[in-house]
Amino acid sequence: MKIVNSLIITTVAVGLLTSCGKSEKAKENTTPKVEARSMGELKIAYYDSDSLKKYFVYYKEQDSLVTKKQLTFQKEVERRRKDFEGFIVRNEQKAQSGLLSQNEMMQIQQKMQQMEQDLMRYQQEQGSKLEEETMKKLDEISKKIIVLGEKFSKENKIDVFFMHGNGGQINYINPSMNVTKEFVAYLNQNQADIEKDLK
């Protein structure tokens, strides 16, 4: 009886071990197999977009003009807001001192509403006008960079010319392909030629 029980236990144990071994799969290799491919004589280069903002003279000039207009706009909004707040404070003091009639208080209330509406209208109209002008300038600059980028690429026999910068689509590119310095110099030179032709 002991032998039969031992045989049964052994058979069950072997069966369990065999079935457990079958359900466990070998771990898959998740390392991607990337095949290196030669592109022949393909010439690839890139420029750093942040460097254009610093060193492309035309970009800096246009950015400076827009920034000045934004500061002027902000100062005007602040001036109008202070005038509005000053008007409120002065007339609240008069009202608390009993210097205003009921009719004058109503007129002041209307004037306050008008001043507030004027301030909001100025902010909306001038703000959107300034935003539109900024977008137009950026579009102008972008078009120049595209046209001159194509010309630069053709002159230097570059097949693929990337823009690299924060938030861009290129995670990494070999620094030996960086032609930012040369491209910025090219942009500045060509912008000077364009301005010379316009004079």
Side-chain angles (χ1 to χ4, degrees), residues 108-123:
I108 288 169
Q109 189 73 24
Q110 288 174 344
K111 173 81 173 164
M112 282 170 42
Q113 288 173 348
Q114 184 63 47
M115 287 176 80
E116 187 176 25
Q117 287 172 359
D118 289 346
L119 176 60
M120 288 174 68
R121 188 180 310 111
Y122 177 81
Q123 280 182 289

Side-chain angles (χ1 to χ4, degrees), residues 151-196:
K151 194 175 169 189
F152 177 79
S153 297
K154 286 178 179 176
E155 286 177 16
N156 292 284
K157 295 179 177 52
I158 296 170
D159 297 301
V160 182
F161 192 33
F162 290 107
M163 174 180 71
H164 181 51
N166 287 337
Q169 295 179 350
I170 300 170
N171 187 24
Y172 172 78
I173 191 163
N174 190 314
S176 68
M177 296 178 179
N178 189 347
V179 295
T180 305
K181 185 179 174 185
E182 295 82 357
F183 185 51
V184 170
Y186 185 84
L187 288 171
N188 286 329
Q189 175 193 339
N190 279 277
Q191 182 58 37
D193 290 344
I194 292 167
E195 287 172 0
K196 186 172 63 181

Side-chain angles (χ1 to χ4, degrees), residues 56-128:
F56 181 24
V57 175
Y58 180 74
Y59 188 102
K60 284 171 49 178
E61 287 171 354
Q62 297 307 308
D63 187 54
S64 176
L65 289 172
V66 169
T67 302
K68 283 180 187 174
K69 287 183 179 182
Q70 286 173 337
L71 287 172
T72 302
F73 168 70
Q74 288 170 355
K75 284 179 183 176
E76 180 60 17
V77 167
E78 192 56 35
R79 185 194 67 76
R80 288 178 183 225
R81 184 176 284 122
K82 283 182 180 176
D83 286 351
F84 175 59
E85 289 169 356
F87 181 80
I88 293 170
V89 169
R90 284 190 308 274
N91 286 292
E92 278 180 351
Q93 288 171 350
K94 288 178 186 176
Q96 288 173 357
S97 300
L99 300 173
L100 298 175
S101 68
Q102 195 69 13
N103 188 33
E104 288 172 325
M105 287 173 69
M106 285 178 62
Q107 289 175 341
I108 288 169
Q109 189 73 24
Q110 288 174 344
K111 173 81 173 164
M112 282 170 42
Q113 288 173 348
Q114 184 63 47
M115 287 176 80
E116 187 176 25
Q117 287 172 359
D118 289 346
L119 176 60
M120 288 174 68
R121 188 180 310 111
Y122 177 81
Q123 280 182 289
Q124 289 173 346
E125 289 175 3
Q126 293 303 313
S128 67

Side-chain angles (χ1 to χ4, degrees), residues 28-45:
E28 288 184 44
N29 183 1
T30 57
T31 306
K33 293 177 183 174
V34 179
E35 197 175 309
R37 296 182 186 178
S38 171
M39 301 304 279
E41 297 296 316
L42 187 67
K43 193 172 178 183
I44 300 173

